[in-house]
Amino acid sequence: MTVPDATGAPVRSRSAAPLRVVLGVGGGIAAYKAALLTRLFTEAGHRVVPMPTAAALEFVGAPTWEALTGEVVSTSVFDRVDTVNHVSQGQHADLVVVAPATADLMAKIAHGHADDLLTTTILASRAPVVLAPAMHTEMWFNPATQRNVALLREHGHTVIDPDSGRLTGQDSGPGRLPEPRAIYDAALAVHAHGAAASSGPLAGRRVLITAGGTREALDPVRFLGNRSSGKQGIALAEAARDAGATVHLIVGHVETELPRGVEISSISSAVELHEATRAAAENADVVIMAAAVADYRPVSVGEHKMKKSEDGTNPVVELTRTPDILRGVVDDRNEHARDQLIVGFAAETGDGEHSVLDFGRAKLHRKGCDLLVVNQVGTSTVFGQDTTEVTVLSARGAEDAHASGSKAEVAQFIMARVGVELGARSDG
């Protein structure tokens, strides 16, 4: 159905029948936007049950919510005890929307806390839950917040990434509450189609990711390779998939289970990866080059297994450079004027004169990609491990971003940075 909203513009409802929507409101300055979101739902014929937190009522009082919805406002589980209100509201809800979702509120929901009516209702509900975060940039990118966001998504909740723009005071950056119409459309899409239809930073995007190590054949049984396990690239593919993207994973040698719900192509050598990546990149909105690619390969490959010489002389293997895949993808993008975001990876060790980040910044400039994820590697660092530490460098001059934790958590962080870059392009 289509009805006008308060401005006279049509409101599009994707639900054939009116929904019972529990609207949670966190204690942030953006709470006033939740009043506009309420109007979108009610004027489309949906019933809204407002559940502001006690802190939210410091920003927008109970009379506003009651006037907009015709519902009695409560924050306590001890109100209307005769109806078992703290359980029945969750049981009867068709959809739960939390806007704004503060860092504190998301932490509580992620860890199953139930200390007021809203958190108890969410814990008791089987309805889809959509959270629209709003907070300062530093709070959004704090590792604790990013871990909570990842945990919420693991629980099946939809977390809409915040917009980038003016915040409280003079600050600007990622953390701004999305506009009410965007939250409204995302929430109805989630109800209709599930969490995969969410308006995350990669929803509707085609993302190409490379992962794992390459192997350069010496003869039929031997090869030159590296220590890459592919864990980080696979975690990135899962994070992009969970954010709503259509994912194509090109994978070399890996030591972990491949993800479900993504297109997978297998390669072995750097030349094979080069050909597969350049072909697949033609239709990608985002290209993330996380594979560990050999820098050199043998000039010739033995037809038979290399034998030890009878006189004890050592074999000589002549090497040649492998294709510069990242630079090739950047050149293709520039030549064809594609609106494409390209993310490179740099596994560095540093030396006596230059740090890991020194080498990373030089590579970012040399390769021409938009973001470069830099980490320090070694025999006991990063390769094959379940945890990692990275620094994300930006070609547009954004401040360096650091993250550490499990590779799944770091993958979520990197996807958040990709979302920021995509948002900056839209704003620019």
Side-chain angles (χ1 to χ4, degrees):
M1 63 182 175
T2 302
V3 297
D5 66 7
T7 66
V11 175
R12 299 174 301 279
S13 174
R14 299 180 185 177
S15 177
L19 302 177
R20 183 185 178 97
V21 181
V22 169
L23 179 61
V25 185
I29 187 63
Y32 77 92
K33 286 188 176 181
L36 303 176
L37 177 61
T38 300
R39 292 292 293 268
L40 290 174
F41 278 113
T42 58
E43 292 184 345
H46 304 296
R47 178 181 177 184
V48 176
V49 179
M51 286 193 187
T53 64
L57 292 178
E58 296 291 326
F59 293 93
V60 180
T64 298
W65 304 115
E66 293 179 351
L68 289 173
T69 65
E71 302 280 343
V72 176
V73 168
S74 175
T75 64
S76 173
V77 297
F78 297 106
D79 292 335
R80 298 166 62 188
V81 176
D82 59 314
T83 66
V84 197
N85 194 46
H86 67 290
V87 174
S88 62
Q89 291 289 7
Q91 290 175 331
H92 295 149
D94 297 306
L95 178 66
V96 179
V97 180
V98 182
T102 62
D104 177 67
L105 186 51
M106 288 197 299
K108 290 180 179 179
I109 298 170
H111 294 278
H113 291 195
D115 59 357
D116 65 0
L117 183 59
L118 174 58
T119 53
T120 306
T121 295
I122 292 174
L123 200 61
S125 182
R126 295 182 179 178
V129 177
V130 178
L131 301 102
M135 63 199 72
H136 268 68
T137 303
E138 294 85 354
M139 298 173 70
W140 171 246
F141 285 122
N142 186 285
T145 301
Q146 290 300 307
R147 283 194 293 270
N148 288 331
V149 169
L151 187 57
L152 287 165
R153 287 170 172 160
E154 287 178 14
H155 291 169
H157 300 329
T158 296
V159 182
I160 304 172
D161 277 62
D163 285 349
S164 181
R166 182 69 177 270
L167 306 173
T168 305
Q170 300 300 314
D171 294 338
S172 294
R176 180 184 176 91
L177 184 73
E179 291 305 308
R181 177 54 66 94
I183 300 171
Y184 172 81
D185 285 343
L188 291 185
V190 168
H191 179 266
H193 305 296
S198 67
S199 292
L202 301 180
R205 302 279 187 173
R206 298 180 298 274
V207 179
L208 173 65
I209 299 174
T210 67
T214 61
R215 291 181 168 183
E216 311 304 324
L218 285 165
D219 59 30
V221 298
R222 299 183 179 91
F223 60 85
L224 300 177
N226 55 56
R227 299 178 184 274
S228 175
S229 67
K231 290 181 178 180
Q232 187 64 80
I234 288 173
L236 286 165
E238 292 172 335
R241 175 202 64 196
D242 294 345
T246 299
V247 181
H248 183 180
L249 176 65
I250 301 179
V251 62
H253 173 69
V254 298
E255 297 176 357
T256 188
E257 184 178 353
L258 295 177
R260 298 178 180 179
V262 306
E263 179 184 354
I264 297 175
S265 299
S266 297
I267 57 87
S268 179
S269 68
V271 170
E272 291 175 356
L273 179 61
H274 179 244
E275 294 172 350
T277 301
R278 292 185 72 176
E282 293 181 3
N283 298 314
D285 301 306
V286 179
V287 180
I288 302 177
M289 306 288 291
V293 185
D295 292 323
Y296 300 94
R297 61 182 176 85
V299 171
S300 59
V301 179
E303 185 178 351
H304 305 288
K305 179 182 176 183
M306 189 183 301
K307 306 294 185 182
K308 293 181 180 179
S309 63
E310 294 294 333
D311 60 5
T313 58
N314 294 321
V316 176
V317 177
E318 184 180 1
L319 301 177
T320 186
R321 292 286 298 268
T322 57
D324 189 335
I325 305 174
L326 177 57
R327 184 70 231 188
V329 171
V330 171
D331 289 343
D332 287 347
R333 188 260 315 264
N334 296 341
E335 179 182 352
H336 298 286
R338 296 174 186 151
D339 184 16
Q340 188 176 68
L341 182 71
I342 300 177
V343 182
F345 271 65
E348 298 288 355
T349 58
D351 59 23
E353 298 181 359
H354 301 92
S355 70
V356 167
L357 289 184
D358 289 336
F359 284 120
R361 292 188 179 96
K363 183 172 183 176
L364 175 67
H365 177 74
R366 185 171 67 253
K367 300 294 186 180
C369 53
D370 303 292
L371 295 176
L372 189 74
V373 181
V374 183
N375 54 22
Q376 185 169 350
V377 297
T379 57
S380 61
T381 307
V382 178
F383 283 142
Q385 304 299 309
D386 294 324
T387 60
T388 188
E389 182 174 355
V390 304
T391 300
V392 182
L393 309 180
S394 170
R396 67 180 178 88
E399 185 176 353
D400 296 352
H402 309 276
S404 62
S406 71
K407 291 189 174 179
E409 291 168 340
V410 169
Q412 293 284 354
F413 175 84
I414 293 170
M415 287 304 163
R417 295 300 303 172
V418 167
V420 170
E421 290 294 315
L422 292 172
R425 290 185 171 198
S426 299
D427 294 340

